[in-house]
Amino acid sequence: MSKISEEKEDLLKRYEKIYDKEDVLLFNSYMIKSPDEEEREIGKLSNIWSGCQIPYDGKVFHSSEQLLFYINFKQLGTIVGFSEEEVNDRIDYLMNTKNGFEVKNCPRTNYFFRNINNKAKNIFGVEDSIKRHWKNTFFIAKMKYKYSNEIREILEKYKNKIWCEDSFWGDKFAGVIYDYKLKKYRGLNSLGRAYRVIYNNRDLIMGES
């Protein structure tokens, strides 16, 4: 096992949560295109949903994914070795890519995002990189909650559930997977946990200038 893999496993052991199946409300980007109306509604909790307008840094972002990539490019692009010209070129392209699915899947944005993150892990270590990602995830989810009435209504509607991003493809860092031995969901569930903290502090957050 590589050093990076060992660090990731250690983080999982320290921060992973385990949830009873009947307590969770699962969401992910695939639900946005579901034929089921309720699933489409819940899918809006994912970073990919492009129905919001989030003001930040003098710009307007149409999905959490777009803002996540932007912050990543600005924070780390030149630090990990890319030229300012290349970073700005990717940002210009990103700002013209308003659909969250395109942001996530376009090589010009996604490969650059992944490249920056991989370089950051090698420079700063896995724990530092993942904790930076958690901070960004929380900040972006807070902005999405503040500026999207739809998100506020969805979280209010399902307030008695534990919100979990369904990473059925196996990514326990972003969300949760189902453990068939335990018959429970498990994972870091960073976005779902961020939503809960935001909801519990909603009056304070909505009062921020």
Side-chain angles (χ1 to χ4, degrees), residues 7-177:
E7 288 185 57
K8 290 175 75 173
E9 286 300 316
D10 178 63
L11 280 170
L12 273 174
K13 290 177 182 177
R14 288 156 54 196
Y15 297 110
E16 182 181 55
K17 294 288 186 181
I18 297 176
Y19 306 102
D20 289 331
K21 184 177 180 179
E22 59 271 16
D23 293 336
V24 307
L25 178 77
L26 297 173
F27 67 89
N28 61 37
S29 59
Y30 292 93
M31 297 169 72
I32 296 173
K33 296 183 177 182
S34 170
D36 182 81
E37 183 177 355
E38 184 178 21
E39 285 196 356
R40 289 198 305 273
E41 177 186 55
I42 296 169
K44 293 176 182 179
L45 295 175
S46 78
N47 282 341
I48 301 295
W49 179 57
S50 306
C52 51
Q53 291 192 336
I54 305 171
Y56 176 75
D57 202 22
K59 307 178 188 299
V60 176
F61 296 84
H62 299 270
S63 69
S64 297
E65 196 77 358
Q66 188 186 31
L67 181 51
L68 177 65
F69 277 40
Y70 177 82
I71 291 175
N72 177 273
F73 294 177
K74 291 280 284 186
Q75 283 183 344
L76 295 171
T78 56
I79 292 176
V80 301
F82 291 103
S83 69
E84 187 173 341
E85 181 181 4
E86 183 170 8
V87 171
N88 288 335
D89 177 69
R90 302 295 177 130
I91 288 175
D92 287 342
Y93 185 84
L94 175 69
M95 295 312 300
N96 287 309
T97 310
K98 296 180 181 180
N99 183 286
F101 285 99
E102 292 179 12
V103 171
K104 180 73 172 180
N105 297 309
C106 176
R108 195 168 178 185
T109 50
N110 189 28
Y111 288 176
F112 194 59
F113 178 81
R114 291 180 179 276
N115 212 344
I116 287 175
N117 284 339
N118 288 335
K119 287 177 180 293
K121 287 175 186 175
N122 287 324
I123 294 171
F124 303 110
V126 171
E127 182 163 357
D128 179 271
S129 297
I130 288 179
K131 286 185 174 180
R132 183 186 296 108
H133 178 75
W134 289 346
K135 288 178 182 178
N136 288 340
T137 295
F138 177 82
F139 171 75
I140 293 166
K142 183 178 76 169
M143 294 290 281
K144 184 176 180 179
Y145 182 88
K146 187 171 183 177
Y147 289 101
S148 173
N149 186 57
E150 287 182 80
I151 295 302
R152 294 195 296 273
E153 288 179 349
I154 292 168
L155 294 185
E156 184 64 32
K157 182 177 180 179
Y158 299 101
K159 63 184 177 183
N160 294 322
K161 288 289 189 178
I162 299 173
W163 309 309
C164 292
E165 187 170 13
D166 183 10
S167 299
F168 60 84
W169 52 90
D171 186 355
K172 289 188 286 185
F173 284 88
V176 297
I177 63 170

